[in-house]
Amino acid sequence: MTGNEPRAELSVGGGAVVLPAVRQQRRWITRADTHGVIGHGRTLHELQAGARQALALRLGTPTAPPVQVRPQSAELDALAEARLRYDTALRHAVQTLRADQSSWTDIAQACHVHIADAQAALRQGPG
């Protein structure tokens, strides 16, 4: 461990323990040492399984609650922001085309998405 590993309190999301993870030298690493969970793995799946085992040992139980690993990086943050902007733009385009009484087929073709995706964008709410 280099000291640059993510440190975080364990948080629970939807009944699962959520741990941050970062990529360092071909390995994923998570560190929530205030709760006794420090782990690494070549894959996120391997990291998640190891973190769950560490949590079970820490809690002294044969099983632990589900564990979610949340990869973190500036690039992943930028991707999340871009997805949010895309979803907002798609919703606005669908709303405008529906207001003009365009068919779902035309909307999907114009937006380069499947009809179900256009309909889901409209259901996402006001924007």
Side-chain angles (χ1 to χ4, degrees):
M1 299 275 177
T2 65
N4 295 329
E5 296 82 11
R7 292 175 175 260
E9 295 294 316
L10 295 181
S11 61
V12 178
V17 175
V18 181
L19 298 173
V22 295
R23 187 77 175 163
Q24 288 185 351
Q25 300 176 356
R26 303 180 70 182
R27 288 204 165 296
W28 289 99
I29 298 171
T30 188
R31 187 169 184 174
D33 50 346
T34 58
H35 295 279
V37 178
I38 300 172
H40 61 88
R42 287 194 179 265
T43 66
L44 287 170
H45 180 73
E46 189 178 298
L47 174 62
Q48 186 171 338
R52 187 159 192 239
Q53 287 177 338
L55 186 58
L57 287 171
R58 177 70 175 159
L59 296 173
T61 63
T63 60
V67 172
Q68 284 183 353
V69 176
R70 292 241 172 99
Q72 297 179 337
S73 72
E75 295 80 9
L76 291 172
D77 292 345
L79 177 61
E81 289 176 25
R83 282 185 177 149
L84 180 59
R85 287 190 308 272
Y86 171 81
D87 290 343
T88 301
L90 177 60
R91 182 176 57 252
H92 289 167
V94 171
Q95 287 171 341
T96 300
L97 291 168
R98 275 311 273 178
D100 289 339
Q101 299 179 345
S102 296
S103 71
W104 284 113
T105 302
D106 286 349
I107 293 170
Q109 184 176 353
C111 295
H112 303 285
V113 298
H114 296 285
I115 291 172
D117 295 333
Q119 291 170 337
L122 189 61
R123 289 190 299 269
Q124 287 179 356

